[in-house]
Amino acid sequence: MKTPVKIAVSGAAGQISYALLFRIIAGDLLGPDQPVSLSLLEVPQAVGNLEGVAMELADCAAPLLQDVSCHSDPERAFEGADLVFLVGAQPRGPGMERRDLMEVNAGIFSVQGRALNAAARRTVKVLVVGNPVNTNALITRANAPDLPPENFAAMTRLDHNRAVSQLAARTGRRIREVEGVIIWGNHSTTQYPDIRHATIGGQPALELVGHAWYEQTFIGTIQHRGAEVIRVRGKSSAASGANAALEHMRDWVFGLPAGRWTSMAVCSDGSYGIEPGLMFSYPVEIREGRWRIVQGLAIDDFSRERIRASEGEILRERDMVRHLLP
Ligand code: NAD
Ligand code: LMR
């Protein structure tokens, strides 16, 4: 029997977690022979509901589930955690931008960053899902100075998956045939879904879909997809967000085949001219549990302008939360 991996999830009584936790215990994250120990965090007023989620987890009689604990104290929840999903934060409603959540959500991540710093394993992988993700991840990382910056990421995998799905649908090809998509920048309407390096069935994606559709339809569709889901469904995306979180963490743990990349918002080292230290979505390769920003991609004027615009927005968000950055 393998040693259980300890997985902490915040916002564990919310809708994303409800779509995430049951897939984790089914082995979709770490495989069919890796036991997991779940440590669930909620605000005190939701711990009652959380106990109900824990009852349902137990009622699955899932062979991989070693134990479940429920917490309202982040330090207790993150104690010894190997993998952490920071989902707990308010979602936006119709007509809001994700940055409108800054005031209510940002403070959560300074508290939880400090708790991770104090209690999590030094090798912990922390994925921020709560919006606005890039800036919340920056706050978390800044408040956990004893943990390496590469232990933190913010989620742009949902945007990446949306882009892959739209390209497959447009060309009538299979999802697996789409490779090399990149989400640059912020998980917001300034994000830049770049298909200049993408291929579909080995052919250049841009040639297959055409510049007009790419520039006039595709980019906006991806940038506004979250708001469109809220408009149509009446609630912020949940199962697709949980799926993206699971895939992000699974790839981070197990790595990607050589020559393949995905999109993750990670700590900039200045690659592609982005201000060092910002949590910026880049193409990343992953080997042996470590991501590395893909280097040497040609960036034309069209791409550069959009990448810069998204960087500008993240810099403005950083200015809004300076008081939370020690
Ligand atoms: P939800 O309201 O259903 O659940 C959020 C849960 O977080 C609630 O149960 C709430 O009690 C809990 N919570 C709030 N503050 C907390 C704290 N300090 N500690 C622990 N728990 C806390 O929301 P949801 O639909 O699950 O979405 C969660 C977040 O994920 C939102 O901010 C949403 O915008 C974001 N999101 C991001 C992506 C992405 O692609 N990055 C995708 C979907 C949703
Ligand atoms: C999404 O992209 O679906 C999430 O970030 C939720 C939102 O507010 O758009």
Side-chain angles (χ1 to χ4, degrees):
M1 180 83 165
K2 288 183 174 176
T3 310
V5 170
K6 180 161 180 180
I7 303 174
V9 180
S10 75
Q15 55 156 5
I16 290 185
S17 296
Y18 200 68
L20 174 67
L21 293 168
F22 297 88
R23 289 189 61 190
I24 293 177
I25 66 167
D28 289 356
L29 177 63
L30 297 176
D33 60 355
Q34 176 57 63
V36 295
S37 161
L38 289 180
S39 182
L40 308 181
L41 176 67
E42 259 298 345
V43 290
Q45 56 274 30
V47 168
N49 307 88
L50 187 56
E51 298 286 356
V53 175
M55 286 165 68
E56 282 205 70
L57 287 163
D59 290 352
C60 291
L64 293 179
L65 182 58
Q66 176 83 9
D67 56 62
V68 187
S69 57
C70 298
H71 307 272
S72 58
D73 172 357
E75 219 172 292
R76 293 281 305 279
F78 299 151
E79 202 175 334
D82 299 290
L83 305 177
V84 176
F85 293 86
L86 295 185
V87 181
Q90 228 180 78
R92 63 176 165 156
M96 290 172 75
E97 287 299 327
R98 297 185 186 94
R99 66 171 169 275
D100 298 336
L101 295 167
M102 194 86 75
E103 211 165 299
V104 275
N105 286 344
I108 296 171
F109 294 86
S110 58
V111 173
Q112 295 186 359
R114 287 196 295 276
L116 287 163
N117 198 51
R121 284 172 72 95
R122 303 299 88 178
T123 52
V124 65
K125 289 177 166 55
V126 180
L127 171 61
V128 177
V129 177
N131 277 316
V133 283
N134 298 60
T135 297
N136 288 339
L138 174 69
I139 296 168
T140 311
R141 197 194 80 218
N143 283 280
D146 302 329
L147 294 171
E150 59 267 24
N151 292 20
F152 297 86
M155 188 168 97
T156 51
R157 181 61 172 261
L158 180 52
D159 311 289
H160 185 103
N161 287 348
R162 287 168 172 161
V164 170
S165 174
Q166 293 290 324
L167 290 172
R170 176 71 182 177
T171 54
R173 309 293 279 266
R174 290 191 300 275
I175 293 287
R176 280 184 205 285
E177 292 184 273
V178 182
E179 284 184 28
V181 165
I182 303 169
I183 304 296
W184 297 95
N186 209 4
H187 175 59
S188 74
T189 53
T190 69
Q191 69 176 270
Y192 170 45
D194 178 4
I195 65 165
R196 281 168 153 64
H197 308 277
T199 55
I200 306 176
Q203 293 171 275
L206 195 49
E207 278 174 25
L208 288 175
V209 301
H211 282 260
W213 180 79
Y214 172 58
E215 289 171 23
Q216 290 155 29
T217 303
F218 174 83
I219 293 178
T221 298
I222 306 308
Q223 290 173 331
H224 296 282
R225 185 72 167 182
E228 192 56 11
V229 169
I230 292 170
R231 189 184 70 77
V232 176
R233 195 175 95 91
K235 281 183 188 166
S236 154
S237 62
S240 57
N243 177 68
L246 192 120
E247 291 186 349
H248 175 127
M249 194 63 100
R250 188 194 60 205
D251 287 347
W252 196 358
V253 170
F254 293 110
L256 291 169
R260 296 275 299 275
W261 67 62
T262 185
S263 303
M264 280 169 64
V266 294
C267 182
S268 168
D269 59 357
S271 291
Y272 299 96
I274 300 306
E275 171 135 335
L278 290 189
M279 294 300 282
F280 196 85
S281 184
Y282 280 109
V284 296
E285 301 169 314
I286 311 172
R287 300 260 175 293
E288 294 170 1
R290 297 174 75 87
W291 54 262
R292 179 182 156 275
I293 298 168
V294 175
Q295 298 295 319
L297 296 173
I299 305 294
D300 61 14
D301 290 344
F302 182 90
S303 296
R304 187 169 301 107
E305 193 185 313
R306 281 156 186 79
I307 291 170
R308 283 267 162 265
S310 204
E311 181 193 26
E313 184 185 41
I314 301 177
L315 285 166
R316 288 191 294 282
E317 287 186 13
R318 186 182 65 179
D319 287 342
M320 291 167 69
V321 299
R322 284 242 180 245
H323 58 293
L324 297 173
L325 303 175

